[in-house]
Every structure is written in structure tokens, then in C-alpha cells.
Amino acid sequence: MKNIVLTGFMGTGKTEVGRELSRLLNMKLIDVDAEIEKTKKMTINEIFRRLGEFQFREFETEIIKKVTRKKSVIISTGGGAIIREENVDALRKNGLIICLTATAETILNRTGNSDDRPLLRADDPLAQIRQLLESRKPFYQRADITIDTEGKSPRQVAEEIIDRLKGKI
């Protein structure tokens, strides 16, 4: 069975939907950000603060290459993982990429004023979200399946994913 890869901007529900999918399909969930924190013994915030975004992306690519060797797992990526072609190639090799979407306003509501979101540390977080969404749009559009999470529970989104994957994995 192919891997199920969840991508999309922060706050679109990748982690929660991944947990639901894991439960419903009895498949292991691998959260790339959690793997980075575990292997590097630093939080994502610490990595961004101490080493910068470029180094974080290097760690992210390293972990993606490692976890994509596994089969029949659910992989939840960080929102910017698919801006690197080598990540997309690795994820697509044995997986189907599903992009979860939401409006900028919903993303801001879901992420709130969390200090755990280094890319949203801005005077105007909503404008920052809109700008990042726009710059990543071409990358997100390359997903095999796109699912809007607006007004849906993680369970509803997981069930929609399962329905859309029939015959594909």
C-alpha cells in the first residue's frame, strides 16, 4: 500500500486529520516536524531561532528522505515541505500527496497567537498568511488530491480522504 502524505499550510489540520486517518485505517502516523524535534533534540522554534529557516529546511529534507523509505504509513509534513522539489520527489515516490486547505482567516483563527509558529511572527499575521499562501499556491496545486477543511471536523476530512483514495492506494 502507498503512503498517504498530508501537506498544506499550517493550521489546515494535517496533524489532527493524520491522527484520525491513523485510527480509521490502522496505519502509523509519522509527523515530520515531530521527527525533526526528536532527532535534533530542539523544538522547531529553537531551530528557527538558533539556526534559521534554511537549516530547518535541510533537517526537514533529511527526515522526509528517511521516512519515505517506509511503506503504508501516513506522513504529515510541515506546510513548507513541498517547496523543495527533492521533498516532493521523495514523497511522491511511494505516496499520494493530499493537500489540505483553508482560508487565511480560518488559518489565523486555528493558529491563534501561538508562539509555536515562527513564520507568523509578524506585525500583521493575516497579511503574512495571505502572502505565504499565495507564494506556496503553485506548490500546493501539484498535490494529487486537494481537500478544503473549512467547517469540517478532522473526522469528516479523514473520511473524505478515505473516500477519495478508493482505488488509488
Side-chain angles (χ1 to χ4, degrees), residues 26-55:
N26 197 29
M27 291 171 68
K28 181 179 179 179
L29 171 64
I30 301 171
D31 183 296
V32 171
D33 283 353
E35 291 296 311
I36 293 169
E37 289 183 341
K38 188 168 73 178
T39 60
K40 301 305 175 186
K41 295 178 179 37
M42 280 190 273
T43 66
I44 301 302
N45 266 339
E46 287 175 296
I47 294 169
F48 266 80
R49 193 174 59 252
R50 291 183 190 176
L51 307 172
E53 184 177 0
F54 179 80
Q55 188 58 57

Short mmCIF file of all heavy atoms in Angstrom, two decimals, residues 26-55:
data_model
loop_
_atom_site.label_atom_id
_atom_site.label_comp_id
_atom_site.label_asym_id
_atom_site.label_seq_id
_atom_site.Cartn_x
_atom_site.Cartn_y
_atom_site.Cartn_z
N ASN A 26 -5.87 2.20 10.63
CA ASN A 26 -4.92 1.39 11.38
C ASN A 26 -3.53 1.45 10.72
O ASN A 26 -2.87 0.43 10.51
CB ASN A 26 -5.40 -0.06 11.53
CG ASN A 26 -4.64 -0.78 12.62
OD1 ASN A 26 -4.17 -0.18 13.57
ND2 ASN A 26 -4.49 -2.09 12.46
N MET A 27 -3.11 2.67 10.40
CA MET A 27 -1.79 2.92 9.81
C MET A 27 -1.01 3.83 10.75
O MET A 27 -1.60 4.66 11.44
CB MET A 27 -1.92 3.60 8.44
CG MET A 27 -2.52 2.72 7.35
SD MET A 27 -2.88 3.65 5.82
CE MET A 27 -1.23 4.05 5.24
N LYS A 28 0.30 3.68 10.75
CA LYS A 28 1.16 4.52 11.58
C LYS A 28 1.21 5.93 11.01
O LYS A 28 1.33 6.13 9.81
CB LYS A 28 2.56 3.93 11.64
CG LYS A 28 3.50 4.73 12.51
CD LYS A 28 4.88 4.13 12.57
CE LYS A 28 5.75 5.03 13.45
NZ LYS A 28 7.09 4.55 13.59
N LEU A 29 1.14 6.92 11.91
CA LEU A 29 1.29 8.32 11.54
C LEU A 29 2.70 8.79 11.88
O LEU A 29 3.17 8.59 13.00
CB LEU A 29 0.27 9.19 12.29
CG LEU A 29 0.44 10.71 12.16
CD1 LEU A 29 0.24 11.17 10.72
CD2 LEU A 29 -0.52 11.43 13.10
N ILE A 30 3.35 9.40 10.90
CA ILE A 30 4.67 9.99 11.12
C ILE A 30 4.55 11.49 10.86
O ILE A 30 4.24 11.91 9.75
CB ILE A 30 5.74 9.39 10.19
CG1 ILE A 30 5.85 7.88 10.41
CG2 ILE A 30 7.08 10.08 10.41
CD1 ILE A 30 6.73 7.17 9.39
N ASP A 31 4.77 12.27 11.90
CA ASP A 31 4.74 13.73 11.80
C ASP A 31 6.17 14.21 11.59
O ASP A 31 7.03 14.04 12.46
CB ASP A 31 4.13 14.32 13.07
CG ASP A 31 3.98 15.82 12.98
OD1 ASP A 31 5.01 16.52 12.89
OD2 ASP A 31 2.83 16.29 13.02
N VAL A 32 6.44 14.80 10.43
CA VAL A 32 7.80 15.20 10.08
C VAL A 32 8.36 16.20 11.09
O VAL A 32 9.51 16.07 11.53
CB VAL A 32 7.86 15.76 8.64
CG1 VAL A 32 9.22 16.38 8.33
CG2 VAL A 32 7.55 14.65 7.63
N ASP A 33 7.57 17.19 11.49
CA ASP A 33 8.06 18.16 12.47
C ASP A 33 8.42 17.49 13.79
O ASP A 33 9.45 17.81 14.40
CB ASP A 33 7.03 19.27 12.70
CG ASP A 33 6.99 20.29 11.56
OD1 ASP A 33 7.84 20.22 10.65
OD2 ASP A 33 6.08 21.15 11.58
N ALA A 34 7.59 16.56 14.25
CA ALA A 34 7.88 15.84 15.50
C ALA A 34 9.16 15.03 15.37
O ALA A 34 9.96 14.95 16.31
CB ALA A 34 6.71 14.94 15.89
N GLU A 35 9.38 14.43 14.20
CA GLU A 35 10.61 13.66 13.96
C GLU A 35 11.84 14.57 13.98
O GLU A 35 12.88 14.19 14.49
CB GLU A 35 10.52 12.90 12.63
CG GLU A 35 9.53 11.77 12.62
CD GLU A 35 9.90 10.65 13.59
OE1 GLU A 35 11.06 10.20 13.58
OE2 GLU A 35 9.01 10.24 14.36
N ILE A 36 11.69 15.76 13.42
CA ILE A 36 12.80 16.71 13.44
C ILE A 36 13.14 17.07 14.89
O ILE A 36 14.31 17.03 15.29
CB ILE A 36 12.46 17.99 12.64
CG1 ILE A 36 12.34 17.67 11.15
CG2 ILE A 36 13.51 19.08 12.88
CD1 ILE A 36 11.73 18.79 10.32
N GLU A 37 12.12 17.39 15.67
CA GLU A 37 12.35 17.76 17.07
C GLU A 37 13.00 16.61 17.85
O GLU A 37 13.90 16.84 18.66
CB GLU A 37 11.03 18.16 17.73
CG GLU A 37 10.50 19.48 17.23
CD GLU A 37 9.23 19.95 17.90
OE1 GLU A 37 8.52 19.11 18.52
OE2 GLU A 37 8.94 21.15 17.83
N LYS A 38 12.55 15.39 17.57
CA LYS A 38 13.09 14.23 18.28
C LYS A 38 14.56 13.99 17.90
O LYS A 38 15.40 13.79 18.77
CB LYS A 38 12.24 12.99 17.95
CG LYS A 38 12.58 11.77 18.76
CD LYS A 38 11.53 10.68 18.62
CE LYS A 38 11.62 10.02 17.26
NZ LYS A 38 10.66 8.93 17.07
N THR A 39 14.87 14.02 16.62
CA THR A 39 16.23 13.71 16.19
C THR A 39 17.22 14.84 16.48
O THR A 39 18.38 14.58 16.77
CB THR A 39 16.31 13.33 14.70
OG1 THR A 39 15.85 14.42 13.92
CG2 THR A 39 15.50 12.09 14.40
N LYS A 40 16.76 16.07 16.40
CA LYS A 40 17.65 17.22 16.61
C LYS A 40 17.65 17.71 18.06
O LYS A 40 18.43 18.59 18.42
CB LYS A 40 17.29 18.37 15.67
CG LYS A 40 17.37 17.99 14.19
CD LYS A 40 18.72 17.44 13.83
CE LYS A 40 18.77 16.93 12.40
NZ LYS A 40 20.02 16.27 12.07
N LYS A 41 16.75 17.14 18.86
CA LYS A 41 16.65 17.50 20.28
C LYS A 41 16.48 19.00 20.49
O LYS A 41 17.05 19.60 21.42
CB LYS A 41 17.84 16.96 21.05
CG LYS A 41 17.87 15.43 21.08
CD LYS A 41 19.08 14.91 21.81
CE LYS A 41 19.16 13.41 21.88
NZ LYS A 41 18.73 12.62 20.77
N MET A 42 15.67 19.59 19.61
CA MET A 42 15.32 21.01 19.70
C MET A 42 13.90 21.17 19.17
O MET A 42 13.48 20.41 18.29
CB MET A 42 16.22 21.87 18.80
CG MET A 42 17.57 22.19 19.35
SD MET A 42 18.40 23.45 18.32
CE MET A 42 19.16 22.43 17.08
N THR A 43 13.19 22.17 19.67
CA THR A 43 11.88 22.46 19.12
C THR A 43 12.05 23.15 17.77
O THR A 43 13.14 23.68 17.47
CB THR A 43 11.06 23.38 20.04
OG1 THR A 43 11.70 24.66 20.09
CG2 THR A 43 10.89 22.79 21.44
N ILE A 44 10.98 23.15 16.98
CA ILE A 44 11.03 23.85 15.69
C ILE A 44 11.37 25.32 15.93
O ILE A 44 12.19 25.90 15.22
CB ILE A 44 9.68 23.70 14.94
CG1 ILE A 44 9.33 22.22 14.68
CG2 ILE A 44 9.69 24.51 13.64
CD1 ILE A 44 10.33 21.43 13.89
N ASN A 45 10.75 25.90 16.95
CA ASN A 45 11.05 27.30 17.29
C ASN A 45 12.53 27.52 17.57
O ASN A 45 13.12 28.50 17.11
CB ASN A 45 10.25 27.73 18.52
CG ASN A 45 8.96 28.41 18.15
OD1 ASN A 45 8.81 28.91 17.05
ND2 ASN A 45 8.03 28.43 19.07
N GLU A 46 13.13 26.62 18.34
CA GLU A 46 14.56 26.75 18.66
C GLU A 46 15.41 26.65 17.40
O GLU A 46 16.38 27.39 17.23
CB GLU A 46 14.99 25.67 19.65
CG GLU A 46 14.50 25.87 21.05
CD GLU A 46 14.88 24.70 21.95
OE1 GLU A 46 14.40 23.56 21.69
OE2 GLU A 46 15.67 24.93 22.88
N ILE A 47 15.04 25.72 16.52
CA ILE A 47 15.80 25.57 15.27
C ILE A 47 15.73 26.86 14.46
O ILE A 47 16.75 27.37 13.98
CB ILE A 47 15.29 24.36 14.45
CG1 ILE A 47 15.57 23.06 15.22
CG2 ILE A 47 15.94 24.34 13.06
CD1 ILE A 47 14.88 21.83 14.65
N PHE A 48 14.52 27.41 14.30
CA PHE A 48 14.37 28.66 13.55
C PHE A 48 15.17 29.78 14.22
O PHE A 48 15.85 30.54 13.54
CB PHE A 48 12.88 29.06 13.46
CG PHE A 48 12.19 28.58 12.23
CD1 PHE A 48 11.74 27.27 12.12
CD2 PHE A 48 11.97 29.43 11.16
CE1 PHE A 48 11.10 26.83 10.99
CE2 PHE A 48 11.33 29.01 10.02
CZ PHE A 48 10.89 27.69 9.92
N ARG A 49 15.06 29.90 15.53
CA ARG A 49 15.71 30.98 16.25
C ARG A 49 17.24 30.85 16.22
O ARG A 49 17.95 31.81 15.95
CB ARG A 49 15.21 31.03 17.70
CG ARG A 49 15.57 32.29 18.45
CD ARG A 49 14.96 32.41 19.83
NE ARG A 49 15.33 31.30 20.71
CZ ARG A 49 14.51 30.31 21.10
NH1 ARG A 49 13.27 30.27 20.67
NH2 ARG A 49 14.94 29.35 21.90
N ARG A 50 17.74 29.65 16.48
CA ARG A 50 19.19 29.46 16.57
C ARG A 50 19.87 29.27 15.22
O ARG A 50 20.99 29.74 15.01
CB ARG A 50 19.51 28.23 17.42
CG ARG A 50 19.19 28.38 18.87
CD ARG A 50 19.61 27.11 19.59
NE ARG A 50 19.14 27.06 20.95
CZ ARG A 50 19.32 26.03 21.75
NH1 ARG A 50 19.96 24.97 21.32
NH2 ARG A 50 18.85 26.06 22.97
N LEU A 51 19.21 28.52 14.34
CA LEU A 51 19.87 28.11 13.11
C LEU A 51 19.26 28.69 11.83
O LEU A 51 19.88 28.64 10.78
CB LEU A 51 19.87 26.57 13.01
CG LEU A 51 20.44 25.84 14.23
CD1 LEU A 51 20.22 24.35 14.11
CD2 LEU A 51 21.92 26.16 14.40
N GLY A 52 18.03 29.18 11.93
CA GLY A 52 17.38 29.80 10.78
C GLY A 52 16.54 28.84 9.97
O GLY A 52 16.61 27.61 10.13
N GLU A 53 15.72 29.44 9.09
CA GLU A 53 14.81 28.63 8.28
C GLU A 53 15.54 27.71 7.31
O GLU A 53 15.13 26.57 7.10
CB GLU A 53 13.83 29.52 7.49
CG GLU A 53 12.81 28.71 6.71
CD GLU A 53 11.78 29.52 5.97
OE1 GLU A 53 11.82 30.76 6.02
OE2 GLU A 53 10.93 28.90 5.30
N PHE A 54 16.63 28.18 6.72
CA PHE A 54 17.35 27.32 5.77
C PHE A 54 17.78 26.01 6.42
O PHE A 54 17.59 24.93 5.86
CB PHE A 54 18.57 28.04 5.17
CG PHE A 54 19.32 27.17 4.21
CD1 PHE A 54 18.88 27.01 2.90
CD2 PHE A 54 20.46 26.48 4.61
CE1 PHE A 54 19.56 26.18 2.02
CE2 PHE A 54 21.14 25.65 3.73
CZ PHE A 54 20.69 25.50 2.43
N GLN A 55 18.36 26.10 7.62
CA GLN A 55 18.82 24.88 8.29
C GLN A 55 17.63 23.99 8.66
O GLN A 55 17.70 22.77 8.57
CB GLN A 55 19.63 25.21 9.54
CG GLN A 55 20.27 24.00 10.17
CD GLN A 55 21.19 23.26 9.20
OE1 GLN A 55 22.13 23.83 8.65
NE2 GLN A 55 20.93 21.99 8.96
#
